[in-house]
Amino acid sequence: MTKIALVTGGTRGIGASISSNLKDSGYTVIANYASNDESAENFSKENNIEVMKWDVSNYEQTKSCISEIYNKYSSIDILINNAGITQDAPLHKMTVEKWNKVISVNLNSVFNVTSSVINKMRENGFGRIINISSVNGQKGQFGQTNYAATKSALIGFTKSLALESASKGITSNVICPGYINTEMVAAIREDILKSIIDTIPSKRLGEANEIAEMVSYLVSEKASYINGATFSVNGGLWMD
């Protein structure tokens, strides 16, 4: 039977590559998105992937939409928590609104979605959960106390979940991308982006498909003994 994969933030950037790569690998994919209807519709048509719009930072919306998925497909076998935003400012200039928004979208959403699927996975005796963190959750970054806090927290969340559910056939792993060639990174001022690339030993940005390939491996049977692990995909920018 075809396994069902849910990818949050799955219609743009890294999420879009993950969604399309999983579909090409034979999974049935549902790609969640939050706001950009036109982009999501185009992605759906181009890739023949079902998209669902809801705010993953909203617990009740998440429970309701995941119930719809279960009603249609009966199971969610693979969960990729990829949704995330940035609202940068140094802490002495950061508003409580910026802090709370990033915490809500990047971290609370992972609880909302994962807690909505974990019991069914445990009942089924199978699950693959991948949380997308960031190199800046490992090393920190100026102006990103909010973002780095959420991405660092995902590492502890992942390890704890792995301990809790390994005996039920569920693996939980985390990927920490470096600077990836997406719209978000492309929006960085050219001189600043060049200075970032200069610090990367590989001397280039990563490609979204390089993250997607790691996801596809970790959800496969070949990776069934990998659990609670952190994978850095950053061109050597941070080695830990």
Side-chain angles (χ1 to χ4, degrees), residues 35-71:
S35 60
N36 194 323
D37 294 321
E38 182 178 358
S39 176
E41 289 169 9
N42 289 338
F43 172 81
S44 180
K45 290 176 183 176
E46 290 170 5
N47 296 279
N48 194 27
I49 290 175
E50 180 178 351
V51 298
M52 286 187 69
K53 181 180 182 179
W54 85 84
D55 177 5
V56 289
S57 71
N58 183 302
Y59 180 77
E60 295 303 328
Q61 278 189 37
T62 297
K63 292 287 286 188
S64 175
C65 289
I66 286 180
S67 290
E68 288 183 31
I69 296 172
Y70 279 128
N71 288 337

PDB file of all heavy atoms in Angstrom, residues 35-71:
ATOM      1  N   SER A  35      -0.455  30.637   2.942  1.00  0.00           N
ATOM      2  CA  SER A  35      -1.035  31.889   2.462  1.00  0.00           C
ATOM      3  C   SER A  35      -0.993  32.130   0.961  1.00  0.00           C
ATOM      4  O   SER A  35      -1.896  32.750   0.420  1.00  0.00           O
ATOM      5  CB  SER A  35      -0.344  33.077   3.160  1.00  0.00           C
ATOM      6  OG  SER A  35       1.042  33.070   2.890  1.00  0.00           O
ATOM      7  N   ASN A  36       0.041  31.681   0.276  1.00  0.00           N
ATOM      8  CA  ASN A  36       0.215  32.050  -1.128  1.00  0.00           C
ATOM      9  C   ASN A  36      -0.578  31.093  -2.027  1.00  0.00           C
ATOM     10  O   ASN A  36      -0.070  30.081  -2.506  1.00  0.00           O
ATOM     11  CB  ASN A  36       1.703  32.035  -1.502  1.00  0.00           C
ATOM     12  CG  ASN A  36       1.969  32.718  -2.830  1.00  0.00           C
ATOM     13  OD1 ASN A  36       1.172  32.613  -3.757  1.00  0.00           O
ATOM     14  ND2 ASN A  36       3.091  33.411  -2.929  1.00  0.00           N
ATOM     15  N   ASP A  37      -1.857  31.442  -2.258  1.00  0.00           N
ATOM     16  CA  ASP A  37      -2.750  30.560  -3.020  1.00  0.00           C
ATOM     17  C   ASP A  37      -2.269  30.329  -4.446  1.00  0.00           C
ATOM     18  O   ASP A  37      -2.290  29.193  -4.944  1.00  0.00           O
ATOM     19  CB  ASP A  37      -4.165  31.147  -3.057  1.00  0.00           C
ATOM     20  CG  ASP A  37      -4.809  31.179  -1.690  1.00  0.00           C
ATOM     21  OD1 ASP A  37      -4.621  30.217  -0.921  1.00  0.00           O
ATOM     22  OD2 ASP A  37      -5.491  32.174  -1.376  1.00  0.00           O
ATOM     23  N   GLU A  38      -1.831  31.387  -5.112  1.00  0.00           N
ATOM     24  CA  GLU A  38      -1.420  31.270  -6.512  1.00  0.00           C
ATOM     25  C   GLU A  38      -0.224  30.337  -6.655  1.00  0.00           C
ATOM     26  O   GLU A  38      -0.203  29.443  -7.516  1.00  0.00           O
ATOM     27  CB  GLU A  38      -1.075  32.643  -7.081  1.00  0.00           C
ATOM     28  CG  GLU A  38      -0.686  32.602  -8.560  1.00  0.00           C
ATOM     29  CD  GLU A  38      -0.385  33.975  -9.135  1.00  0.00           C
ATOM     30  OE1 GLU A  38      -0.517  34.973  -8.396  1.00  0.00           O
ATOM     31  OE2 GLU A  38      -0.004  34.031 -10.318  1.00  0.00           O
ATOM     32  N   SER A  39       0.763  30.514  -5.785  1.00  0.00           N
ATOM     33  CA  SER A  39       1.943  29.666  -5.824  1.00  0.00           C
ATOM     34  C   SER A  39       1.582  28.210  -5.540  1.00  0.00           C
ATOM     35  O   SER A  39       2.067  27.294  -6.212  1.00  0.00           O
ATOM     36  CB  SER A  39       2.971  30.159  -4.800  1.00  0.00           C
ATOM     37  OG  SER A  39       4.092  29.305  -4.759  1.00  0.00           O
ATOM     38  N   ALA A  40       0.708  28.004  -4.551  1.00  0.00           N
ATOM     39  CA  ALA A  40       0.302  26.640  -4.192  1.00  0.00           C
ATOM     40  C   ALA A  40      -0.459  25.968  -5.325  1.00  0.00           C
ATOM     41  O   ALA A  40      -0.249  24.784  -5.624  1.00  0.00           O
ATOM     42  CB  ALA A  40      -0.542  26.667  -2.928  1.00  0.00           C
ATOM     43  N   GLU A  41      -1.355  26.712  -5.971  1.00  0.00           N
ATOM     44  CA  GLU A  41      -2.129  26.148  -7.077  1.00  0.00           C
ATOM     45  C   GLU A  41      -1.221  25.776  -8.249  1.00  0.00           C
ATOM     46  O   GLU A  41      -1.393  24.712  -8.874  1.00  0.00           O
ATOM     47  CB  GLU A  41      -3.200  27.147  -7.514  1.00  0.00           C
ATOM     48  CG  GLU A  41      -4.334  27.299  -6.506  1.00  0.00           C
ATOM     49  CD  GLU A  41      -5.253  28.478  -6.823  1.00  0.00           C
ATOM     50  OE1 GLU A  41      -5.094  29.064  -7.916  1.00  0.00           O
ATOM     51  OE2 GLU A  41      -6.102  28.797  -5.968  1.00  0.00           O
ATOM     52  N   ASN A  42      -0.265  26.636  -8.544  1.00  0.00           N
ATOM     53  CA  ASN A  42       0.677  26.341  -9.628  1.00  0.00           C
ATOM     54  C   ASN A  42       1.514  25.117  -9.295  1.00  0.00           C
ATOM     55  O   ASN A  42       1.745  24.254 -10.157  1.00  0.00           O
ATOM     56  CB  ASN A  42       1.584  27.550  -9.882  1.00  0.00           C
ATOM     57  CG  ASN A  42       0.859  28.709 -10.526  1.00  0.00           C
ATOM     58  OD1 ASN A  42      -0.188  28.529 -11.155  1.00  0.00           O
ATOM     59  ND2 ASN A  42       1.390  29.915 -10.371  1.00  0.00           N
ATOM     60  N   PHE A  43       1.973  25.056  -8.051  1.00  0.00           N
ATOM     61  CA  PHE A  43       2.764  23.895  -7.621  1.00  0.00           C
ATOM     62  C   PHE A  43       1.955  22.611  -7.749  1.00  0.00           C
ATOM     63  O   PHE A  43       2.456  21.585  -8.233  1.00  0.00           O
ATOM     64  CB  PHE A  43       3.232  24.083  -6.178  1.00  0.00           C
ATOM     65  CG  PHE A  43       3.888  22.864  -5.590  1.00  0.00           C
ATOM     66  CD1 PHE A  43       5.207  22.580  -5.868  1.00  0.00           C
ATOM     67  CD2 PHE A  43       3.168  21.996  -4.771  1.00  0.00           C
ATOM     68  CE1 PHE A  43       5.820  21.442  -5.347  1.00  0.00           C
ATOM     69  CE2 PHE A  43       3.768  20.864  -4.249  1.00  0.00           C
ATOM     70  CZ  PHE A  43       5.098  20.590  -4.527  1.00  0.00           C
ATOM     71  N   SER A  44       0.708  22.663  -7.329  1.00  0.00           N
ATOM     72  CA  SER A  44      -0.163  21.484  -7.379  1.00  0.00           C
ATOM     73  C   SER A  44      -0.365  21.000  -8.816  1.00  0.00           C
ATOM     74  O   SER A  44      -0.276  19.804  -9.107  1.00  0.00           O
ATOM     75  CB  SER A  44      -1.509  21.808  -6.729  1.00  0.00           C
ATOM     76  OG  SER A  44      -2.364  20.693  -6.762  1.00  0.00           O
ATOM     77  N   LYS A  45      -0.636  21.947  -9.722  1.00  0.00           N
ATOM     78  CA  LYS A  45      -0.866  21.591 -11.126  1.00  0.00           C
ATOM     79  C   LYS A  45       0.392  21.037 -11.782  1.00  0.00           C
ATOM     80  O   LYS A  45       0.342  20.053 -12.529  1.00  0.00           O
ATOM     81  CB  LYS A  45      -1.356  22.817 -11.896  1.00  0.00           C
ATOM     82  CG  LYS A  45      -2.771  23.262 -11.529  1.00  0.00           C
ATOM     83  CD  LYS A  45      -3.143  24.541 -12.253  1.00  0.00           C
ATOM     84  CE  LYS A  45      -4.527  25.039 -11.830  1.00  0.00           C
ATOM     85  NZ  LYS A  45      -4.853  26.333 -12.460  1.00  0.00           N
ATOM     86  N   GLU A  46       1.518  21.653 -11.502  1.00  0.00           N
ATOM     87  CA  GLU A  46       2.775  21.250 -12.141  1.00  0.00           C
ATOM     88  C   GLU A  46       3.246  19.878 -11.665  1.00  0.00           C
ATOM     89  O   GLU A  46       3.884  19.139 -12.416  1.00  0.00           O
ATOM     90  CB  GLU A  46       3.864  22.294 -11.867  1.00  0.00           C
ATOM     91  CG  GLU A  46       3.641  23.609 -12.595  1.00  0.00           C
ATOM     92  CD  GLU A  46       4.589  24.703 -12.124  1.00  0.00           C
ATOM     93  OE1 GLU A  46       5.491  24.395 -11.295  1.00  0.00           O
ATOM     94  OE2 GLU A  46       4.430  25.853 -12.561  1.00  0.00           O
ATOM     95  N   ASN A  47       2.933  19.546 -10.410  1.00  0.00           N
ATOM     96  CA  ASN A  47       3.473  18.321  -9.819  1.00  0.00           C
ATOM     97  C   ASN A  47       2.424  17.255  -9.517  1.00  0.00           C
ATOM     98  O   ASN A  47       2.768  16.162  -9.062  1.00  0.00           O
ATOM     99  CB  ASN A  47       4.219  18.669  -8.528  1.00  0.00           C
ATOM    100  CG  ASN A  47       5.418  19.552  -8.765  1.00  0.00           C
ATOM    101  OD1 ASN A  47       6.480  19.078  -9.143  1.00  0.00           O
ATOM    102  ND2 ASN A  47       5.242  20.848  -8.550  1.00  0.00           N
ATOM    103  N   ASN A  48       1.148  17.594  -9.768  1.00  0.00           N
ATOM    104  CA  ASN A  48       0.056  16.665  -9.464  1.00  0.00           C
ATOM    105  C   ASN A  48       0.107  16.210  -8.003  1.00  0.00           C
ATOM    106  O   ASN A  48       0.006  15.027  -7.684  1.00  0.00           O
ATOM    107  CB  ASN A  48       0.097  15.454 -10.397  1.00  0.00           C
ATOM    108  CG  ASN A  48      -1.186  14.641 -10.349  1.00  0.00           C
ATOM    109  OD1 ASN A  48      -2.265  15.169 -10.051  1.00  0.00           O
ATOM    110  ND2 ASN A  48      -1.082  13.354 -10.613  1.00  0.00           N
ATOM    111  N   ILE A  49       0.269  17.198  -7.115  1.00  0.00           N
ATOM    112  CA  ILE A  49       0.330  16.959  -5.673  1.00  0.00           C
ATOM    113  C   ILE A  49      -0.818  17.709  -5.006  1.00  0.00           C
ATOM    114  O   ILE A  49      -1.063  18.884  -5.296  1.00  0.00           O
ATOM    115  CB  ILE A  49       1.677  17.433  -5.098  1.00  0.00           C
ATOM    116  CG1 ILE A  49       2.805  16.502  -5.570  1.00  0.00           C
ATOM    117  CG2 ILE A  49       1.650  17.479  -3.569  1.00  0.00           C
ATOM    118  CD1 ILE A  49       4.193  16.955  -5.161  1.00  0.00           C
ATOM    119  N   GLU A  50      -1.510  17.033  -4.115  1.00  0.00           N
ATOM    120  CA  GLU A  50      -2.606  17.664  -3.387  1.00  0.00           C
ATOM    121  C   GLU A  50      -2.055  18.697  -2.401  1.00  0.00           C
ATOM    122  O   GLU A  50      -1.068  18.435  -1.702  1.00  0.00           O
ATOM    123  CB  GLU A  50      -3.395  16.606  -2.617  1.00  0.00           C
ATOM    124  CG  GLU A  50      -4.561  17.168  -1.823  1.00  0.00           C
ATOM    125  CD  GLU A  50      -5.366  16.099  -1.108  1.00  0.00           C
ATOM    126  OE1 GLU A  50      -5.128  14.888  -1.361  1.00  0.00           O
ATOM    127  OE2 GLU A  50      -6.232  16.464  -0.297  1.00  0.00           O
ATOM    128  N   VAL A  51      -2.683  19.862  -2.361  1.00  0.00           N
ATOM    129  CA  VAL A  51      -2.276  20.902  -1.410  1.00  0.00           C
ATOM    130  C   VAL A  51      -3.437  21.205  -0.467  1.00  0.00           C
ATOM    131  O   VAL A  51      -4.605  21.096  -0.846  1.00  0.00           O
ATOM    132  CB  VAL A  51      -1.804  22.184  -2.125  1.00  0.00           C
ATOM    133  CG1 VAL A  51      -0.584  21.901  -2.985  1.00  0.00           C
ATOM    134  CG2 VAL A  51      -2.915  22.808  -2.964  1.00  0.00           C
ATOM    135  N   MET A  52      -3.103  21.569   0.759  1.00  0.00           N
ATOM    136  CA  MET A  52      -4.104  21.931   1.764  1.00  0.00           C
ATOM    137  C   MET A  52      -3.651  23.190   2.487  1.00  0.00           C
ATOM    138  O   MET A  52      -2.507  23.267   2.955  1.00  0.00           O
ATOM    139  CB  MET A  52      -4.306  20.814   2.788  1.00  0.00           C
ATOM    140  CG  MET A  52      -5.086  19.630   2.276  1.00  0.00           C
ATOM    141  SD  MET A  52      -5.458  18.441   3.597  1.00  0.00           S
ATOM    142  CE  MET A  52      -6.644  19.375   4.577  1.00  0.00           C
ATOM    143  N   LYS A  53      -4.552  24.151   2.565  1.00  0.00           N
ATOM    144  CA  LYS A  53      -4.223  25.424   3.203  1.00  0.00           C
ATOM    145  C   LYS A  53      -4.722  25.452   4.643  1.00  0.00           C
ATOM    146  O   LYS A  53      -5.902  25.257   4.901  1.00  0.00           O
ATOM    147  CB  LYS A  53      -4.865  26.574   2.415  1.00  0.00           C
ATOM    148  CG  LYS A  53      -4.570  27.958   2.995  1.00  0.00           C
ATOM    149  CD  LYS A  53      -5.248  29.042   2.167  1.00  0.00           C
ATOM    150  CE  LYS A  53      -4.929  30.426   2.709  1.00  0.00           C
ATOM    151  NZ  LYS A  53      -5.574  31.485   1.882  1.00  0.00           N
ATOM    152  N   TRP A  54      -3.792  25.626   5.562  1.00  0.00           N
ATOM    153  CA  TRP A  54      -4.157  25.953   6.941  1.00  0.00           C
ATOM    154  C   TRP A  54      -2.943  26.481   7.690  1.00  0.00           C
ATOM    155  O   TRP A  54      -1.810  26.293   7.259  1.00  0.00           O
ATOM    156  CB  TRP A  54      -4.775  24.763   7.660  1.00  0.00           C
ATOM    157  CG  TRP A  54      -3.856  23.770   8.299  1.00  0.00           C
ATOM    158  CD1 TRP A  54      -3.275  23.855   9.538  1.00  0.00           C
ATOM    159  CD2 TRP A  54      -3.411  22.522   7.751  1.00  0.00           C
ATOM    160  NE1 TRP A  54      -2.514  22.740   9.789  1.00  0.00           N
ATOM    161  CE2 TRP A  54      -2.578  21.907   8.719  1.00  0.00           C
ATOM    162  CE3 TRP A  54      -3.646  21.854   6.547  1.00  0.00           C
ATOM    163  CZ2 TRP A  54      -1.973  20.660   8.508  1.00  0.00           C
ATOM    164  CZ3 TRP A  54      -3.041  20.628   6.337  1.00  0.00           C
ATOM    165  CH2 TRP A  54      -2.224  20.044   7.307  1.00  0.00           C
ATOM    166  N   ASP A  55      -3.194  27.144   8.792  1.00  0.00           N
ATOM    167  CA  ASP A  55      -2.160  27.737   9.625  1.00  0.00           C
ATOM    168  C   ASP A  55      -1.698  26.706  10.640  1.00  0.00           C
ATOM    169  O   ASP A  55      -2.414  26.413  11.598  1.00  0.00           O
ATOM    170  CB  ASP A  55      -2.716  28.985  10.315  1.00  0.00           C
ATOM    171  CG  ASP A  55      -1.724  29.637  11.263  1.00  0.00           C
ATOM    172  OD1 ASP A  55      -0.563  29.184  11.328  1.00  0.00           O
ATOM    173  OD2 ASP A  55      -2.123  30.590  11.957  1.00  0.00           O
ATOM    174  N   VAL A  56      -0.513  26.145  10.442  1.00  0.00           N
ATOM    175  CA  VAL A  56      -0.036  25.088  11.335  1.00  0.00           C
ATOM    176  C   VAL A  56       0.246  25.595  12.745  1.00  0.00           C
ATOM    177  O   VAL A  56       0.366  24.808  13.682  1.00  0.00           O
ATOM    178  CB  VAL A  56       1.217  24.384  10.775  1.00  0.00           C
ATOM    179  CG1 VAL A  56       0.866  23.514   9.579  1.00  0.00           C
ATOM    180  CG2 VAL A  56       2.304  25.389  10.428  1.00  0.00           C
ATOM    181  N   SER A  57       0.324  26.912  12.917  1.00  0.00           N
ATOM    182  CA  SER A  57       0.523  27.454  14.265  1.00  0.00           C
ATOM    183  C   SER A  57      -0.785  27.516  15.048  1.00  0.00           C
ATOM    184  O   SER A  57      -0.779  27.810  16.244  1.00  0.00           O
ATOM    185  CB  SER A  57       1.162  28.851  14.202  1.00  0.00           C
ATOM    186  OG  SER A  57       0.246  29.814  13.710  1.00  0.00           O
ATOM    187  N   ASN A  58      -1.899  27.217  14.379  1.00  0.00           N
ATOM    188  CA  ASN A  58      -3.213  27.198  15.020  1.00  0.00           C
ATOM    189  C   ASN A  58      -3.581  25.745  15.345  1.00  0.00           C
ATOM    190  O   ASN A  58      -3.780  24.934  14.450  1.00  0.00           O
ATOM    191  CB  ASN A  58      -4.252  27.829  14.092  1.00  0.00           C
ATOM    192  CG  ASN A  58      -5.627  27.920  14.720  1.00  0.00           C
ATOM    193  OD1 ASN A  58      -6.199  26.918  15.123  1.00  0.00           O
ATOM    194  ND2 ASN A  58      -6.163  29.120  14.788  1.00  0.00           N
ATOM    195  N   TYR A  59      -3.666  25.425  16.620  1.00  0.00           N
ATOM    196  CA  TYR A  59      -3.875  24.047  17.052  1.00  0.00           C
ATOM    197  C   TYR A  59      -5.195  23.488  16.543  1.00  0.00           C
ATOM    198  O   TYR A  59      -5.244  22.365  16.020  1.00  0.00           O
ATOM    199  CB  TYR A  59      -3.827  23.971  18.575  1.00  0.00           C
ATOM    200  CG  TYR A  59      -4.026  22.582  19.119  1.00  0.00           C
ATOM    201  CD1 TYR A  59      -3.004  21.633  19.081  1.00  0.00           C
ATOM    202  CD2 TYR A  59      -5.242  22.201  19.687  1.00  0.00           C
ATOM    203  CE1 TYR A  59      -3.174  20.357  19.574  1.00  0.00           C
ATOM    204  CE2 TYR A  59      -5.430  20.920  20.186  1.00  0.00           C
ATOM    205  CZ  TYR A  59      -4.396  19.998  20.135  1.00  0.00           C
ATOM    206  OH  TYR A  59      -4.587  18.731  20.627  1.00  0.00           O
ATOM    207  N   GLU A  60      -6.283  24.230  16.683  1.00  0.00           N
ATOM    208  CA  GLU A  60      -7.601  23.722  16.290  1.00  0.00           C
ATOM    209  C   GLU A  60      -7.693  23.527  14.785  1.00  0.00           C
ATOM    210  O   GLU A  60      -8.257  22.534  14.315  1.00  0.00           O
ATOM    211  CB  GLU A  60      -8.704  24.665  16.797  1.00  0.00           C
ATOM    212  CG  GLU A  60      -8.819  24.744  18.307  1.00  0.00           C
ATOM    213  CD  GLU A  60      -9.056  23.379  18.951  1.00  0.00           C
ATOM    214  OE1 GLU A  60      -9.709  22.512  18.304  1.00  0.00           O
ATOM    215  OE2 GLU A  60      -8.593  23.160  20.075  1.00  0.00           O
ATOM    216  N   GLN A  61      -7.151  24.477  14.004  1.00  0.00           N
ATOM    217  CA  GLN A  61      -7.124  24.307  12.546  1.00  0.00           C
ATOM    218  C   GLN A  61      -6.341  23.054  12.162  1.00  0.00           C
ATOM    219  O   GLN A  61      -6.743  22.282  11.278  1.00  0.00           O
ATOM    220  CB  GLN A  61      -6.482  25.524  11.873  1.00  0.00           C
ATOM    221  CG  GLN A  61      -7.389  26.709  11.657  1.00  0.00           C
ATOM    222  CD  GLN A  61      -6.720  27.764  10.790  1.00  0.00           C
ATOM    223  OE1 GLN A  61      -5.985  27.447   9.854  1.00  0.00           O
ATOM    224  NE2 GLN A  61      -6.964  29.025  11.114  1.00  0.00           N
ATOM    225  N   THR A  62      -5.223  22.861  12.829  1.00  0.00           N
ATOM    226  CA  THR A  62      -4.382  21.712  12.523  1.00  0.00           C
ATOM    227  C   THR A  62      -5.110  20.407  12.810  1.00  0.00           C
ATOM    228  O   THR A  62      -5.118  19.484  11.977  1.00  0.00           O
ATOM    229  CB  THR A  62      -3.074  21.786  13.335  1.00  0.00           C
ATOM    230  OG1 THR A  62      -2.354  22.965  12.940  1.00  0.00           O
ATOM    231  CG2 THR A  62      -2.207  20.562  13.091  1.00  0.00           C
ATOM    232  N   LYS A  63      -5.736  20.309  13.984  1.00  0.00           N
ATOM    233  CA  LYS A  63      -6.474  19.090  14.326  1.00  0.00           C
ATOM    234  C   LYS A  63      -7.569  18.809  13.307  1.00  0.00           C
ATOM    235  O   LYS A  63      -7.767  17.670  12.875  1.00  0.00           O
ATOM    236  CB  LYS A  63      -7.094  19.233  15.722  1.00  0.00           C
ATOM    237  CG  LYS A  63      -6.102  19.281  16.859  1.00  0.00           C
ATOM    238  CD  LYS A  63      -5.470  17.941  17.142  1.00  0.00           C
ATOM    239  CE  LYS A  63      -6.415  16.995  17.834  1.00  0.00           C
ATOM    240  NZ  LYS A  63      -5.727  15.751  18.265  1.00  0.00           N
ATOM    241  N   SER A  64      -8.288  19.853  12.902  1.00  0.00           N
ATOM    242  CA  SER A  64      -9.390  19.701  11.968  1.00  0.00           C
ATOM    243  C   SER A  64      -8.902  19.239  10.598  1.00  0.00           C
ATOM    244  O   SER A  64      -9.470  18.307   9.994  1.00  0.00           O
ATOM    245  CB  SER A  64     -10.139  21.028  11.835  1.00  0.00           C
ATOM    246  OG  SER A  64     -11.145  20.941  10.860  1.00  0.00           O
ATOM    247  N   CYS A  65      -7.836  19.856  10.087  1.00  0.00           N
ATOM    248  CA  CYS A  65      -7.354  19.515   8.749  1.00  0.00           C
ATOM    249  C   CYS A  65      -6.707  18.133   8.713  1.00  0.00           C
ATOM    250  O   CYS A  65      -6.856  17.397   7.730  1.00  0.00           O
ATOM    251  CB  CYS A  65      -6.378  20.584   8.265  1.00  0.00           C
ATOM    252  SG  CYS A  65      -7.182  22.158   7.869  1.00  0.00           S
ATOM    253  N   ILE A  66      -6.037  17.766   9.780  1.00  0.00           N
ATOM    254  CA  ILE A  66      -5.449  16.429   9.818  1.00  0.00           C
ATOM    255  C   ILE A  66      -6.540  15.371   9.925  1.00  0.00           C
ATOM    256  O   ILE A  66      -6.428  14.277   9.343  1.00  0.00           O
ATOM    257  CB  ILE A  66      -4.408  16.330  10.946  1.00  0.00           C
ATOM    258  CG1 ILE A  66      -3.158  17.107  10.509  1.00  0.00           C
ATOM    259  CG2 ILE A  66      -4.071  14.880  11.279  1.00  0.00           C
ATOM    260  CD1 ILE A  66      -2.031  17.118  11.488  1.00  0.00           C
ATOM    261  N   SER A  67      -7.618  15.688  10.603  1.00  0.00           N
ATOM    262  CA  SER A  67      -8.770  14.778  10.631  1.00  0.00           C
ATOM    263  C   SER A  67      -9.318  14.560   9.233  1.00  0.00           C
ATOM    264  O   SER A  67      -9.709  13.436   8.869  1.00  0.00           O
ATOM    265  CB  SER A  67      -9.869  15.330  11.544  1.00  0.00           C
ATOM    266  OG  SER A  67      -9.482  15.274  12.895  1.00  0.00           O
ATOM    267  N   GLU A  68      -9.347  15.629   8.411  1.00  0.00           N
ATOM    268  CA  GLU A  68      -9.790  15.496   7.021  1.00  0.00           C
ATOM    269  C   GLU A  68      -8.881  14.546   6.242  1.00  0.00           C
ATOM    270  O   GLU A  68      -9.354  13.733   5.439  1.00  0.00           O
ATOM    271  CB  GLU A  68      -9.788  16.868   6.339  1.00  0.00           C
ATOM    272  CG  GLU A  68     -10.893  17.812   6.792  1.00  0.00           C
ATOM    273  CD  GLU A  68     -10.856  19.113   6.007  1.00  0.00           C
ATOM    274  OE1 GLU A  68     -10.443  19.089   4.815  1.00  0.00           O
ATOM    275  OE2 GLU A  68     -11.233  20.154   6.581  1.00  0.00           O
ATOM    276  N   ILE A  69      -7.578  14.653   6.484  1.00  0.00           N
ATOM    277  CA  ILE A  69      -6.637  13.763   5.792  1.00  0.00           C
ATOM    278  C   ILE A  69      -6.888  12.321   6.198  1.00  0.00           C
ATOM    279  O   ILE A  69      -6.931  11.417   5.352  1.00  0.00           O
ATOM    280  CB  ILE A  69      -5.182  14.177   6.091  1.00  0.00           C
ATOM    281  CG1 ILE A  69      -4.898  15.576   5.534  1.00  0.00           C
ATOM    282  CG2 ILE A  69      -4.206  13.154   5.482  1.00  0.00           C
ATOM    283  CD1 ILE A  69      -3.551  16.145   5.940  1.00  0.00           C
ATOM    284  N   TYR A  70      -7.082  12.082   7.489  1.00  0.00           N
ATOM    285  CA  TYR A  70      -7.363  10.719   7.962  1.00  0.00           C
ATOM    286  C   TYR A  70      -8.668  10.180   7.383  1.00  0.00           C
ATOM    287  O   TYR A  70      -8.773   8.997   7.044  1.00  0.00           O
ATOM    288  CB  TYR A  70      -7.410  10.688   9.489  1.00  0.00           C
ATOM    289  CG  TYR A  70      -6.047  10.634  10.145  1.00  0.00           C
ATOM    290  CD1 TYR A  70      -5.697  11.545  11.139  1.00  0.00           C
ATOM    291  CD2 TYR A  70      -5.117   9.668   9.787  1.00  0.00           C
ATOM    292  CE1 TYR A  70      -4.456  11.492  11.749  1.00  0.00           C
ATOM    293  CE2 TYR A  70      -3.869   9.610  10.378  1.00  0.00           C
ATOM    294  CZ  TYR A  70      -3.546  10.524  11.368  1.00  0.00           C
ATOM    295  OH  TYR A  70      -2.320  10.464  11.962  1.00  0.00           O
ATOM    296  N   ASN A  71      -9.653  11.046   7.265  1.00  0.00           N
ATOM    297  CA  ASN A  71     -10.936  10.606   6.691  1.00  0.00           C
ATOM    298  C   ASN A  71     -10.775  10.176   5.236  1.00  0.00           C
ATOM    299  O   ASN A  71     -11.471   9.264   4.763  1.00  0.00           O
ATOM    300  CB  ASN A  71     -11.971  11.731   6.783  1.00  0.00           C
ATOM    301  CG  ASN A  71     -12.450  11.966   8.200  1.00  0.00           C
ATOM    302  OD1 ASN A  71     -12.367  11.078   9.053  1.00  0.00           O
ATOM    303  ND2 ASN A  71     -12.951  13.165   8.466  1.00  0.00           N
TER     304      ASN A  71
END
